[in-house]
């Protein structure tokens, strides 16, 4: 009987390299998801038919987990059709990023950055990143109210000074006669 010997060293080395590369990809993927889960803004990928293909932890904290194939307008606003004033998909019209603001049903204000995104299978998506700017908006409104109040005070004081000056001139003119 004749024994056949096959050198499996190259096969084992190739398999070990494959496992090493897969472990590296898994580690990088875990790092990416860790970054996305701790990112302070919401991140989501929207399909052209308004489905949320991906959402980070902040998005789900703000708007809920959602169901497969659930539309963003249904998840966020409880609507059965797209929002009339939605600007999320404008970036797909000319492949240019957009920045805009919107108000959530909770009353929170968000500054949104939308980017055209091509998925690995060639699908055109919207990469949306949103930051809660409610505190900034409220502080700006409070500053505006204080500024308006100060301007009112300046107008009132200016009117009082003008009246005082008129009375003084009248007094001086009458004193001469």
């Amino acid at each position: 009987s004749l024994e056949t010997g096959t050198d499996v060293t190259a096969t084992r080395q190739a398999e070990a390299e494959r496992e090493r590369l897969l472990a590296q990809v898994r580690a990088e993927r875990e790092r990416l998801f860790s970054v996305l889960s701790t990112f302070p803004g919401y991140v989501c990928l929207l399909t052209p038919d308004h489905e949320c293909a991906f959402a980070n932890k902040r998005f789900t904290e703000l708007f809920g987990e959602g169901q497969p194939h659930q539309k963003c307008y249904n998840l966020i606003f409880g609507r059965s059709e797209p929002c009339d004033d939605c600007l999320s998909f404008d970036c797909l019209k000319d492949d240019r990023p957009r920045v805009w603001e919107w108000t959530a049903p909770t009353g929170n204000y968000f500054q949104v950055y939308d980017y055209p995104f091509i998925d690995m299978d060639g699908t055109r998506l919207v990469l949306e990143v949103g930051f809660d700017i409610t505190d900034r908006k409220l502080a700006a409104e409070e500053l505006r109210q204080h500024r308006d109040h100060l301007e009112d005070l300046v107008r009132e004081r200016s009117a009082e000074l003008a009246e005082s000056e008129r009375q003084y001139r009248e007094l001086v003119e009458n004193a001469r006669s």
Side-chain angles (χ1 to χ4, degrees), residues 159-177:
E160 289 172 5
L161 287 171
E163 176 59 22
S164 177
E165 183 180 347
R166 186 195 63 73
Q167 289 175 357
Y168 176 76
R169 287 186 188 277
E170 189 177 293
L171 180 68
V172 169
E173 289 174 5
N174 289 335
R176 288 188 196 148
S177 60

Side-chain angles (χ1 to χ4, degrees), residues 55-139:
N56 72 341
K57 181 180 175 184
R58 182 69 178 136
F59 183 93
T60 59
E61 289 171 352
L62 290 165
F63 310 118
E65 189 75 36
Q67 302 300 315
H69 308 293
Q70 186 173 14
K71 309 293 185 182
C72 57
Y73 50 81
N74 180 259
L75 176 63
I76 297 170
F77 295 100
R79 295 174 53 106
S80 59
E81 58 196 33
C83 305
D84 297 329
D85 57 351
C86 178
L87 302 175
S88 292
F89 298 91
D90 286 359
C91 68
L92 294 180
K93 294 176 184 172
D94 59 6
D95 288 327
R96 294 181 55 207
R98 297 288 197 284
V99 178
W100 56 289
E101 293 179 8
W102 69 279
T103 307
T106 59
N108 289 36
Y109 299 98
F110 289 89
Q111 184 162 26
V112 177
Y113 299 82
D114 288 321
Y115 301 92
F117 182 87
I118 307 294
D119 207 357
M120 292 185 306
D121 65 358
T123 306
R124 289 171 42 101
L125 303 172
V126 173
L127 170 60
E128 184 165 289
V129 179
F131 295 96
D132 189 332
I133 59 169
T134 304
D135 291 341
R136 185 178 81 192
K137 288 288 244 189
L138 295 176

